[in-house]
Amino acid sequence: MPAAPSNPLHPALPTPPNERLQWGQLYGSSTALAIASAAKGGSGLTLVLAEDAQSATELEQELAFFLGQEALPILNFPDWETLPYDIFSPLPELISQRLLTLYRLSSIRKGLLIVPVSTLLQRLPPCSYIHANSLLVATGEPLVLGKIRRQLESASYQCVTQVMTHGEFAVRGSLLDIFPMGSPHPFRIDLFDDTVDSIRTFDPESQRSITKVTQIEMLPAREFPLNEASIERFRQAHRTRIEGDPQRSLIYHEVSEGNASGGLEYYLPLFFEQTASLFDYLPEQCLTIEIGQARSHAAQFLQQVETRYEQRRHDIERPILKPAEIYLTADELAARLNQGTAIQVERHEIPARRKGYAGFH
């Protein structure tokens, strides 16, 4: 793998399809400058793998500064910000951002995607789930309240009396209020018979309408479905893949009743015949940039997952899945990262022959 000091304004770029390079002696914000230069000079998506969530956030801010007015989207795929096997669910705002990123990846041609390595390890819903449960509503188009209500409930939206946060909707006469995942604000849809007459944003605190728009896209409310078919799939998978009597499992009873109890994200594989990973959402033409000791951080995280699993796997009221069902293994991660064009970033000088490098082989 060629390695040399890097000029952050004109960094060396690998040649598709499989060349791999190392950048060295990139100190401070010069790493972000070099990545910004590479993304502008590239022809597809640039996946940036950060060591942790804090590094990913700092890098996103630096890239936004260096790219300035460049029409180059910077996507981030945030972590759930919960501990493995936690009994608490992520904040709706985080789920909203994650779903929006997954949705946008299907159409992005050029840009940046920043991901903490521990988040890259997560198994995700299949690509088909995101697109099958996404809806487009536009003025002048037909919309039947009964039908849209069933679609929203199938996409795991919650019917409430007053919409306040992501994943909620309310029906009042000919008005449909909804706070779509991936949107910074909720919308009020006014119907005339079975046609969309107008769409406006509104303030959830005052409930006052604000700005008129012509169309909105609605993503699923969760990373897993919670309809009749998916609940039955969950029940069958629980009985097959989790040891113990399901009748003693609180999570089994909660899902059987259609409730999304806290921490249900750690049972996501039970809702699908097959899961995906973030790699499955990436376009074919993608440059991967690994920063520092990202793979070592991945190994440390997987060890933490194993520790949490051993601590919690004997709870008969909340039995859990094995780590390999929720996260990629170290071998799976290495196999995916070792494909295609890639760059390893080091902030210090790279020796001509560095022993023990855990990167590309």
Side-chain angles (χ1 to χ4, degrees):
M1 180 191 301
S6 298
N7 180 347
L9 290 173
H10 303 286
L13 297 178
T15 303
N18 295 312
E19 186 180 7
R20 303 169 190 282
L21 300 177
Q22 282 185 311
W23 290 348
Q25 295 178 248
L26 290 174
Y27 305 104
S29 297
S30 63
T31 296
L33 177 57
I35 293 173
S37 301
K40 287 189 290 186
S43 58
L45 180 71
T46 301
L47 169 66
V48 184
L49 190 56
E51 293 177 332
D52 50 45
Q54 181 177 346
S55 300
T57 300
E58 293 173 354
L59 182 61
E60 182 182 2
Q61 295 171 348
E62 292 175 350
L63 285 169
F65 172 80
F66 287 123
L67 288 171
Q69 301 300 317
E70 294 282 343
L72 198 65
I74 303 175
L75 307 182
N76 71 75
F77 191 67
D79 192 75
W80 282 335
E81 296 186 2
T82 59
L83 294 174
Y85 299 109
D86 217 336
I87 61 173
F88 304 101
S89 287
L91 293 172
E93 292 78 9
L94 293 174
I95 297 296
S96 175
Q97 181 59 56
R98 286 165 62 94
L99 289 167
L100 178 61
T101 295
L102 293 178
Y103 181 77
R104 293 183 64 188
L105 282 173
S106 65
S107 59
I108 192 169
R109 295 183 179 275
K110 185 175 179 178
L112 285 149
L113 171 62
I114 306 167
V115 186
V117 67
S118 59
T119 309
L120 183 64
L121 290 166
Q122 294 174 341
R123 298 194 187 274
L124 301 174
C127 304
S128 57
Y129 167 73
I130 302 295
H131 296 285
N133 291 279
S134 299
L135 306 171
L136 176 66
V137 176
T139 54
E141 295 294 320
L143 189 151
V144 179
L145 270 179
K147 181 179 179 181
I148 193 69
R149 179 168 185 157
R150 289 191 296 271
Q151 288 178 298
L152 291 172
E153 290 173 344
S154 180
S156 297
Y157 278 77
Q158 182 180 5
C159 185
V160 297
T161 56
Q162 182 172 303
V163 169
M164 295 296 294
T165 190
H166 289 95
E168 294 182 341
F169 76 96
V171 178
R172 301 193 311 277
S174 62
L175 292 178
L176 170 64
D177 287 353
I178 184 167
F179 205 146
M181 304 303 281
S183 171
H185 39 244
F187 296 92
R188 177 160 293 147
I189 303 170
D190 192 2
L191 300 176
F192 181 75
D193 291 333
D194 290 334
T195 302
V196 177
D197 186 53
S198 67
I199 306 173
R200 296 179 184 273
T201 62
F202 71 91
D203 180 357
E205 295 293 335
S206 66
Q207 294 292 301
R208 291 181 178 177
S209 299
I210 305 175
T211 306
K212 197 171 185 178
V213 298
T214 57
Q215 67 178 35
I216 57 174
E217 289 181 320
M218 295 185 287
L219 302 174
R222 299 187 182 92
E223 294 180 38
F224 54 86
L226 201 57
N227 51 33
E228 186 176 339
S230 63
I231 289 173
E232 182 55 34
R233 186 181 299 113
F234 175 95
R235 287 163 55 87
Q236 293 177 359
H238 191 292
R239 293 192 293 267
T240 303
R241 295 160 63 177
I242 294 183
E243 297 179 358
D245 182 2
Q247 297 303 324
R248 303 183 69 177
S249 169
L250 298 179
I251 203 80
Y252 181 86
H253 285 288
E254 284 292 308
V255 174
S256 297
E257 295 175 4
N259 299 325
S261 57
L264 192 52
E265 288 73 18
Y266 290 100
Y267 296 85
L268 181 145
L270 301 184
F271 289 97
F272 301 102
E273 295 293 336
Q274 187 174 4
T275 56
S277 72
L278 189 59
F279 292 104
D280 297 308
Y281 286 85
L282 301 178
E284 287 187 17
Q285 195 168 21
C286 181
L287 169 65
T288 300
I289 299 180
E290 293 183 49
I291 300 179
Q293 302 302 308
R295 298 200 194 193
S296 295
H297 281 256
Q300 294 170 13
F301 175 77
L302 289 175
Q303 185 57 53
Q304 294 172 7
V305 173
E306 287 286 349
T307 300
R308 293 276 293 180
Y309 174 72
E310 290 299 326
Q311 292 172 345
R312 293 174 175 258
R313 71 187 184 94
H314 301 292
D315 186 347
I316 60 175
E317 292 188 345
R318 196 180 177 91
I320 56 179
L321 290 168
K322 295 178 181 179
E325 295 202 66
I326 308 173
Y327 299 98
L328 300 179
T329 64
D331 288 343
E332 287 176 313
L333 176 66
R336 299 303 293 263
L337 288 177
N338 290 346
Q339 298 173 4
T341 54
I343 296 169
Q344 169 72 31
V345 178
E346 298 287 0
R347 294 184 175 88
H348 50 73
E349 183 177 356
I350 302 173
R353 294 183 63 85
R354 182 172 121 195
K355 297 181 180 180
Y357 174 55
F360 311 112
H361 297 291

